[in-house]
Amino acid sequence: MGLSEPYLVELKGITKSFPGVVANDSVDLSVAKGEIHALLGENGAGKSTLMNILYGLYEADAGIIYVRGRKVSISSPKDAIALGIGMVHQEFMLIPALTVIENVALGMHSTKEPFTDLDTVGKKLRELAKVYNFKIRLDAKIADLGVGEQQRVEILKALYRGAEVLILDEPTAVLTPQETRELFATLRLLVAEGKSVVFISHKLNEVMEISHRITVLRSGKVMGTVLAKDTSKEELARMMVGRSVAFEVERGTAKTGEAVLEVKDLVVKDAWGLNVVNGATFEVRAGEILGVAGVDGNGQEELVEAIAGMRRVSEGAVRIEGRDIAGLSPRQVAGMGVAHIPASRHKTGLILDMTVAENLILQSQYRSPFSRRGNLDFKVIRETARNLMKEFDIRAPGEDTKVRLLSGGNQQKVILARELARKPKVLLAVHPTRGLDVGATEYIRRKIVEARDSGCAVLLVSTELDEILNLSDRIAVMYEGQIMGIVDARYAEIEKLGLMMAGSLRMAG
Ligand SMILES: Nc1ncnc2c1ncn2[C@@H]1O[C@H](COP(=O)(O)OP(=O)(O)O)[C@@H](O)[C@H]1O
Ligand SMILES: [Mg+2]
C-alpha cells in the first residue's frame, strides 16, 4: 500500500470485558488493502470477541475503529456490511430448508419489493462464483450441502453484500485438508483482487502458510504483529503461550501385542433410528495407537460411546480380550480395564461441583482401597489425590478445590490421571486436547504415548490431523459412520486421508 493510503481497517485500544474476564485488553490491529491478516491465539485469547466487535455484534467498552481512515461507529452487522465488512462465523447462519440463492437473497433489498428477485440474485451469484472459482450448487437446499460447501455459501453471501474485508472465524476447523487447500486458493484470489481477509486460527501451520501478517493474541492482549515471512512456528508458539513448545511428541516404534479391543460390523443408531455408526470393523492391539481421523460428526463419538457402554450396540460386536461387552454398563466396561477420556469434559468426564480428589476416584470409589465395607476412607482418597496431582502436574490450590475452578488443561489432566491410574488395558481418548493450550496439549499427548508404550491399546479420536499423524501407529478414517480405510501411519499420505475424510476414497485393509 502507498504511504499516504490509510489502512482499510484500524482498531485502536479496543477493550471489552465480560463478567470476570477481560476478553480484549487495549487491542490494536490494522488490516491493509490486499492482505491476509491472521489473528492467532489459543482458545479464549479473545479473537472472536475482537472480530465480533468489528462486525457490530458486541459493543466495545473502549477503543476506536477506523475504516478507510475515518472514525466509524459500528453498532450492528448492518453497519458493518454497509462499511464493506463481512464475517463468516464458526457456526453458520444459514436456513437449511432454503436454497443457496434464497439464503443469500434473504434480508436483501430488491428492485421488485416486496418480492425478492431471485433471478437477479441468482445471476449475480453465478458471476461471483465464476470469478472466485467457487464450486457451489446454487439451486440446492442448504440441508443437502456438505459443511465445506455451506462455508462457501457464507463467503459468497458476504461477497454478494459487498464485503471488502472478509473475516473468517476458524474456517478450517470443519474442513478436510483438500477443502482447506481450496479455501486458501480462494483467499489468494480474493486478495489478488484487492480485497482483505482476517483469518482467525489457532493452527500455526496454516497461519504460516496463508497470511502476510500475523497478530498474536494472548489473554486478550496483543503479543505482537509480525510478517509471516520473517517469523517461525517456534516464535509464534512462544508468543501464543509465553514459552517454548515441542511440536512433536517423541515416540519410538510400537511393540504391539495381541488384539485387545475388537470391533466387528458395529452398528449404532441415533435417537431417530439412523445408523450413526454403520458397520465399523477394526481392532486395536496392545501397545499401539489406532487414530481415528475424520471431520467432526461422522460417528466417531458414537463409536467410542458404544465401546464404553454409554450407547446401545444395535448390531455387531465389541470385544475386550475376546469377551463380548455389548449390553454392559459403563461401570462394568470400566471394570474390564477400559479407560475413557470423553469428548465432553463437562458433561461426562467430570462432576464440576465435586473436588479434585472426588473426581480422581470416580468409578473406583466403591472399591478397595478407597472403600472398605461400604465406608469411604478419606485419608487414602486424599493421599492418592495428592500423589496423582503431583504425578500428572495438576495445578490446583489443593485436592479439596472444586474442579469447576480449574483451567481446561488442568481439568483434562484430572480425567487423564484418574483414567490412567487404573492401569487400563484399553484407552479410549476422544479429542483429548481439544480447546487446550499448547503446553497442556503437549503434556497430554506425551502421556498417551506413555500409556501405549506400557502396553495399553489406545483408540484415539481426533479431528486434528496433525495430532493423528503425530501420535498414531495406524490410522482409520471415518466418514458417515463407516471406516473408509485403515493405513499404516508411517506411510500415510495426507492427500489420501483427506479424500477418505471427504468420502471419496475407500481403501481396503
Ligand atoms: N458472550 C460472552 N459472555 C461471557 N464471556 C465471554 C463471551 N464471549 C467470550 N467470552 C470470554 O471472553 C474470552 C475470550 O473469548 P473469545 O473471544 O471467544 O476467544 P477466542 O475466539 O480467541 O477463542 C474467554 O474467556 C471467553 O470465555
Ligand atoms: Mg473463537
Side-chain angles (χ1 to χ4, degrees):
M1 67 182 243
L3 277 179
S4 56
E5 204 176 326
Y7 282 109
L8 193 51
V9 169
E10 208 170 0
L11 303 173
K12 285 225 163 119
I14 300 290
T15 297
K16 173 77 182 172
S17 298
F18 293 111
V21 55
V22 183
N24 289 158
D25 189 350
S26 201
V27 171
D28 294 342
L29 176 81
S30 59
V31 182
K33 187 173 154 59
E35 88 163 327
I36 300 180
H37 195 124
L39 197 51
L40 176 71
E42 302 202 312
N43 245 288
K47 307 179 295 291
S48 296
T49 301
L50 186 68
M51 288 301 112
N52 282 332
I53 288 170
L54 178 58
Y55 194 57
L57 284 168
Y58 293 157
E59 193 186 347
D61 303 333
I64 308 174
I65 302 177
Y66 299 92
V67 175
R68 297 177 194 86
R70 281 186 40 215
K71 187 175 158 186
V72 295
S73 125
I74 303 176
S75 52
S76 73
K78 224 172 128 206
D79 293 346
I81 291 164
L83 288 164
I85 299 166
M87 181 160 178
V88 177
H89 287 88
Q90 273 172 289
E91 280 87 38
F92 303 145
M93 300 177 172
L94 301 167
I95 299 173
L98 299 183
T99 68
V100 172
I101 296 178
E102 287 164 345
N103 264 279
V104 173
L106 228 115
M108 295 288 301
H109 293 286
S110 97
T111 45
K112 290 190 197 159
E113 293 226 77
F115 303 106
T116 313
D117 182 355
L118 290 178
D119 288 341
T120 313
V121 176
K123 188 156 165 274
K124 201 166 155 208
L125 274 185
R126 245 172 275 281
E127 279 163 23
L128 271 176
K130 207 166 146 211
V131 172
Y132 295 112
N133 211 357
F134 269 127
K135 281 180 250 156
I136 304 186
R137 293 166 283 161
L138 296 176
D139 299 311
K141 288 204 166 61
I142 296 296
D144 296 329
L145 303 186
V147 188
E149 218 168 353
Q150 291 188 30
Q151 184 179 72
R152 293 197 284 276
V153 174
E154 288 277 17
I155 295 175
L156 203 56
K157 190 169 104 187
L159 294 173
Y160 183 89
R161 293 174 180 199
E164 290 295 316
V165 184
L166 186 65
I167 304 163
L168 301 171
D169 197 348
E170 309 240 10
T172 62
V174 295
L175 302 181
T176 65
Q178 277 86 353
E179 287 173 323
T180 298
R181 209 164 325 122
E182 285 173 32
L183 172 70
F184 284 4
T186 303
L187 299 187
R188 291 195 180 99
L189 272 175
L190 282 169
V191 295
E193 295 264 312
K195 298 199 185 296
S196 307
V197 172
V198 179
F199 177 81
I200 301 182
S201 179
H202 65 268
K203 298 183 188 171
L204 297 164
N205 290 333
E206 292 182 350
V207 159
M208 286 294 282
E209 182 185 338
I210 192 67
S211 33
H212 301 115
R213 287 193 302 158
I214 302 160
T215 293
V216 183
L217 279 182
R218 191 202 316 161
S219 309
K221 291 196 186 70
V222 173
M223 292 295 119
T225 297
V226 292
L227 284 168
K229 67 175 174 54
D230 294 341
T231 188
S232 63
K233 261 172 66 177
E234 287 71 20
E235 183 187 32
L236 290 174
R238 262 199 309 278
M239 288 165 82
M240 257 169 89
V241 295
R243 63 175 185 80
S244 312
V245 174
F247 288 106
E248 302 259 301
V249 175
E250 295 285 333
R251 50 194 282 284
T253 43
K255 290 184 215 52
T256 49
E258 302 276 300
V260 183
L261 168 65
E262 291 167 278
V263 172
K264 192 151 193 313
D265 302 322
L266 178 67
V267 174
V268 181
K269 293 188 187 298
D270 67 10
W272 292 273
L274 300 173
N275 292 358
V276 266
V277 177
N278 200 359
T281 298
F282 60 86
E283 57 179 39
V284 191
R285 292 185 286 252
E288 78 162 344
I289 298 178
L290 177 70
V292 179
V295 177
D296 226 355
N298 275 287
Q300 306 96 309
E301 294 181 14
E302 290 85 354
L303 166 74
V304 170
E305 285 173 9
I307 298 170
M310 295 160 65
R311 256 175 204 275
R312 218 173 74 80
V313 170
S314 289
E315 290 168 40
V318 178
R319 293 190 203 99
I320 303 289
E321 294 186 313
R323 195 180 140 199
D324 200 328
I325 61 167
L328 297 191
S329 71
R331 184 185 279 188
Q332 287 169 320
V333 174
M336 293 187 63
V338 178
H340 185 199
I341 302 176
S344 164
R345 290 194 272 287
H346 291 173
K347 272 194 239 138
T348 48
L350 297 164
I351 301 179
L352 292 176
D353 283 319
M354 291 190 13
T355 66
V356 172
E358 287 162 341
N359 272 282
L360 279 170
I361 61 151
L362 283 179
Q363 295 286 19
S364 305
Q365 73 273 22
Y366 56 94
R367 271 190 267 150
S368 163
F370 306 120
S371 176
R372 251 172 274 179
R373 290 185 214 94
N375 293 319
L376 289 176
D377 186 335
F378 287 102
K379 195 161 158 273
V380 176
I381 290 173
R382 297 179 66 130
E383 204 176 281
T384 307
R386 276 195 296 271
N387 289 337
L388 284 176
M389 285 173 73
K390 208 181 291 160
E391 188 187 336
F392 285 83
D393 190 33
I394 298 165
R395 308 215 183 134
E399 70 275 14
D400 290 332
T401 307
K402 283 199 174 143
V403 157
R404 181 183 293 285
L405 302 173
L406 271 51
S407 72
N410 283 302
Q411 290 180 346
Q412 190 72 318
K413 285 182 190 170
V414 170
I415 297 176
L416 191 78
R418 177 184 71 215
E419 298 300 308
L420 292 183
R422 297 196 275 118
K423 303 266 178 281
K425 294 178 191 139
V426 176
L427 171 63
L428 310 170
V430 186
H431 312 311
T433 63
R434 183 177 272 181
L436 302 187
D437 66 42
V438 184
T441 295
E442 181 191 352
Y443 183 86
I444 282 172
R445 289 183 182 167
R446 195 141 29 84
K447 282 289 179 190
I448 290 174
V449 170
E450 271 176 38
R452 166 248 205 196
D453 289 344
S454 68
C456 187
V458 181
L459 184 71
L460 166 73
V461 171
S462 176
T463 51
E464 304 276 326
L465 209 44
D466 284 350
E467 177 159 277
I468 293 278
L469 287 165
N470 181 203
L471 298 185
S472 312
D473 299 300
R474 291 185 303 139
I475 301 172
V477 180
M478 231 176 144
Y479 173 74
E480 293 197 338
Q482 303 193 354
I483 304 283
M484 301 300 286
I486 301 180
V487 297
D488 186 324
R490 284 169 300 180
Y491 313 115
E493 294 167 53
I494 293 191
E495 186 72 22
K496 290 209 172 121
L497 293 176
L499 288 172
M500 288 194 270
M501 284 165 75
S504 42
L505 175 69
R506 194 184 283 273
M507 285 172 79

